[in-house]
Amino acid sequence: LCDWSSDVCSSDLITEFLPVSSTGHLILANAFLGHTSEFSKTFDIAIQSGAMLAVFVVTWREWLKREIG
């Protein structure tokens, strides 16, 4: 990973105990570090998509049970 992503990961760890969502961490870190490129936005989307996919993978059986009844 590049130096840029390690900065974002570090800021996420530092603010982990604050009541800020992971999306908020990314937005604040990008604003603070001055990262506004298309790569930065794509990276944010990839990170959030991975988080949503992880939740779905863990909970899909429960969702299926609720839909079937």
Side-chain angles (χ1 to χ4, degrees):
L1 295 172
C2 63
D3 185 41
W4 174 93
S5 61
S6 64
D7 290 341
V8 172
C9 292
S10 297
S11 67
D12 193 43
L13 290 172
I14 292 168
T15 59
E16 188 64 37
F17 299 103
L18 298 176
V20 178
S21 69
S22 59
T23 304
H25 292 154
L26 291 172
I27 292 169
L28 292 173
N30 286 334
F32 179 72
L33 298 170
H35 298 295
T36 58
S37 67
E38 287 302 312
F39 175 78
S40 170
K41 294 173 187 174
T42 304
F43 182 78
D44 292 351
I45 291 169
I47 293 293
Q48 295 303 314
S49 298
M52 289 186 292
L53 179 62
V55 169
F56 178 74
V57 166
V58 170
T59 62
W60 72 272
R61 286 187 183 112
E62 291 179 34
W63 291 7
L64 188 61
K65 286 178 188 175
R66 289 182 186 182
E67 290 299 315
I68 293 174

